[in-house]
Amino acid sequence: MDISSFFNWMGKDESLPPTLPPEDYALYRKVFDDFDRNEDGTISTSELHSAFRRAGHNPTEAEVQDMINETDMNYTGKIEWEEFAALLAIKLAEREEESDYKETFRVFSKDAQGCIAMEEMKFVLSQVCSIEEAKEMLEVVDRNGDGKISFSEFRCMMGANPILL
């Protein structure tokens, strides 16, 4: 994983972190070590800022400090390997979950418009609840009232956070 790829999905989640896949441990440790320019076992604000610049991003010092503060669980002002690994594990789990949503959506999305027909979803839901309950659920899910379920609406129906553009 290169620095640009890492920064495309770096962020914070409040859930308990999953663990890193053992087969990827060495790769992620190398990324951490690349960020840790002075080899003290931590990533400082200046090292993270430098890593952003090498990746073609130019955040302010305050933005970088906010990232450190959000990730730094033991309040040292730096990111240690364990904190970095926990953040990576969260991001990997989020990517996997998003991939699962996309795969499931494709199973139901039969039209060329990238939506699920209301009747198709009503039929699927009627297998686990009454037609009336399915209809009520879909009225809530179809936020724009177009009679179709978009990917964003589907994600929300499945319990994911809405996609904010």
Side-chain angles (χ1 to χ4, degrees):
M1 168 181 290
D2 64 11
I3 293 172
S4 282
S5 298
F6 172 76
F7 287 117
N8 285 335
W9 50 271
M10 186 174 170
K12 177 76 172 134
D13 186 298
E14 296 301 320
S15 63
L16 292 174
T19 58
L20 284 174
E23 63 274 13
D24 295 334
Y25 181 91
L27 173 67
Y28 298 130
R29 184 61 202 216
K30 181 179 177 347
V31 171
F32 178 85
D33 291 342
D34 286 346
F35 287 10
D36 179 19
R37 297 297 241 188
N38 67 358
E39 300 177 359
D40 69 349
T42 64
I43 300 172
S44 67
T45 305
S46 63
E47 288 169 328
L48 187 56
H49 196 254
S50 175
F52 268 114
R53 286 182 178 225
R54 288 193 313 271
H57 301 279
N58 194 22
T60 66
E61 287 289 332
E63 289 170 329
V64 173
Q65 187 61 57
D66 287 345
M67 288 178 223
I68 296 263
N69 293 343
E70 290 174 7
T71 307
D72 180 20
M73 295 300 153
N74 60 359
Y75 308 106
T76 62
K78 297 180 178 185
I79 300 173
E80 284 121 15
W81 163 245
E82 293 78 14
E83 295 161 336
F84 186 80
L87 176 61
L88 285 172
I90 288 167
K91 291 293 135 196
L92 288 171
E94 287 173 0
R95 289 179 109 192
E96 188 172 310
E97 184 177 279
E98 187 68 17
S99 177
D100 290 345
Y101 288 138
K102 287 178 182 176
E103 274 185 54
T104 306
F105 182 78
R106 277 192 286 271
V107 168
F108 295 111
S109 178
K110 306 244 188 266
D111 68 9
Q113 298 175 6
C115 295
I116 301 172
M118 192 67 76
E119 291 304 313
E120 176 74 19
M121 189 53 75
K122 195 182 306 179
F123 172 77
V124 170
L125 289 174
S126 72
Q127 305 303 305
V128 294
C129 62
S130 73
I131 291 284
E132 192 57 40
E133 289 171 321
K135 187 177 177 181
E136 288 175 17
M137 280 193 279
L138 291 172
E139 286 173 5
V140 172
V141 171
D142 184 19
R143 294 176 186 228
N144 62 2
D146 66 355
K148 300 174 187 172
I149 306 298
S150 68
F151 179 66
S152 179
E153 291 167 333
F154 179 78
R155 287 178 80 258
C156 292
M157 181 179 80
M158 300 300 290
N161 291 326
I163 299 173
L164 301 174
L165 301 176

